[in-house]
Amino acid sequence: AQKITQTQPGMFVQEKEAVTLDCTYDTSDPSYGLFWYKQPSSGEMIFLIYQGSYDQQNATEGRYSLNFQKARKSANLVISASQLGDSAMYFCAMRVSGSARQLTFGSGTQLTVLP
Amino acid sequence: DTEVTQTPKHLVMGMTNKKSLKCEQHMGHRAMYWYKQKAKKPPELMFVYSYEKLSINESVPSRFSPECPNSSLLNLHLHALQPEDSALYLCASSQPSWGQGALGEQYFGPGTRLTVT
């Protein structure tokens, strides 16, 4: 079975600062993908970034980067230069090759960016 | 275009009503999903359709009935719901096979906020 753990129910960050949201995962499957989604209060789940288990380099997408430490089974999201619009719930999720269509979600981290 | 659309945005229904939620995507994805999400919780998978056929039903009560009329459309028919069914219902789509197409991520719609009175 797969499991995603997000240990920070809530985080605060000052505008323009960087913030790291933690995510650890557990799977015995060697082939998997890790995803981060952002969910504003409006409800839509917005895909942010993806990391494959065989990817050699950490994924980056604009201000988002994924700090992937395979041996520690962690996939932390780093948001640089936080903006007020970054305030939202953030979910880490995983998909394994044997269950290619299903996502396992973590419990989420509520990020609040302070002006 | 990476858009998944859902209608209606909000729905209030009584426990004896019959209503339907609709979802549409035009990304050529052949897997579509229904999720239920309670406030401050992660989405819970309800149903998965792959190539227009129901492939996963996560033991959802029969008062929820999914339908996939074609590869672009997904419906969720609601009947005799309970107040505890009030939630945000999210539709998503993706490529159905691992390693096919882009990254395999699921694209979500904006959701329907359902209130059962």
Side-chain angles (χ1 to χ4, degrees), chain B residues 20-91:
Chain B
S20 296
L21 309 184
K22 296 186 185 301
C23 173
E24 188 167 9
Q25 57 89 13
H26 294 288
M27 294 178 278
H29 290 164
R30 302 305 297 274
M32 297 186 75
Y33 314 76
W34 280 115
Y35 288 87
K36 173 183 177 180
Q37 187 181 25
K38 291 284 201 179
K40 304 296 184 185
K41 298 290 186 183
E44 299 171 18
L45 184 66
M46 300 175 72
F47 303 104
V48 180
Y49 273 83
S50 181
Y51 295 97
E52 295 87 69
K53 294 195 184 308
L54 183 65
S55 60
I56 295 174
N57 176 342
E58 293 285 358
S59 302
V60 179
S62 59
R63 57 185 184 269
F64 295 92
S65 175
E67 178 196 22
C68 190
N70 60 56
S71 60
S72 301
L73 292 174
L74 186 65
N75 298 323
L76 186 63
H77 303 297
L78 314 173
H79 173 56
L81 295 192
Q82 303 297 310
E84 59 265 27
D85 296 322
S86 298
L88 179 68
Y89 288 83
L90 292 163
C91 173

Side-chain angles (χ1 to χ4, degrees), chain A residues 8 28 30 32 38 45-46 58-59 63 73 79 87 90-92 97 100-101:
Chain A
Q8 306 155 314
S28 56
Y32 53 88
K38 171 186 178 182
M45 295 280 283
I46 302 167
N58 287 347
R63 294 186 299 110
K73 293 191 174 181
I79 305 174
S87 294
Y90 288 80
F91 290 101
C92 180
S97 60
R101 296 183 296 277

Side-chain angles (χ1 to χ4, degrees), chain A residues 95 100-101, chain B residues 30-31 33 50-51 94-102 104:
Chain A
R95 195 178 89 168
R101 296 183 296 277
Chain B
R30 302 305 297 274
Y33 314 76
S50 181
Y51 295 97
S94 76
Q95 296 294 358
S97 300
W98 181 261
Q100 181 182 21

Side-chain angles (χ1 to χ4, degrees), chain A residues 26-61:
Chain A
D26 189 26
T27 181
S28 56
D29 197 304
S31 180
Y32 53 88
L34 295 157
F35 305 81
W36 278 93
Y37 286 88
K38 171 186 178 182
Q39 189 175 39
S41 56
S42 58
E44 183 173 4
M45 295 280 283
I46 302 167
F47 165 71
L48 295 179
I49 196 166
Y50 164 85
Q51 181 84 42
S53 58
Y54 296 118
D55 293 343
Q56 295 298 311
Q57 292 191 328
N58 287 347
T60 60
E61 287 287 346

